[in-house]
Amino acid sequence: MDERNVYWKTMYDELEIQMKNMMSMTLELIESNDTEKQNLIESVTKENTMLREALEKSKFAEKENSKLIKEIRRLKVLEHKFNVTYMGKFTLKYLELKSSMKEQIKK
């Protein structure tokens, strides 16, 4: 009976050592996954920050673009007024005459 007890005692001790080893390996795996997850979270956070900055820049550019489009439209309407109205035609002829006179004076 004593041999049996020693056998089971050694088996129990070996099993306990194996369980401790398995738990330590499991803990190492969990910790390594945590660092990988942390690295992934950091990279995603950096990318998210870059994308937010790009979004802010594009919103600002879009506002500037709409302002420029309105300014272009206003200038086109002004050009149309010059080309269509009598005063506009007269002004264009006057400017043309003035520039040709300056050229004649330079020569």
Side-chain angles (χ1 to χ4, degrees), residues 54-67:
L55 179 64
E56 290 298 321
K57 288 180 183 176
S58 69
K59 284 182 180 179
F60 179 74
E62 189 175 318
K63 288 179 183 177
E64 288 297 314
N65 190 22
S66 68
K67 287 179 184 176

Side-chain angles (χ1 to χ4, degrees), residues 73-94:
R73 186 168 192 281
R74 187 184 69 80
L75 291 174
K76 283 184 179 179
V77 168
L78 182 64
E79 179 187 20
H80 178 73
K81 285 181 183 177
F82 272 112
N83 290 334
V84 172
T85 62
Y86 289 112
M87 282 301 288
K89 289 179 183 179
F90 177 74
T91 305
L92 289 176
K93 293 290 183 183
Y94 171 73

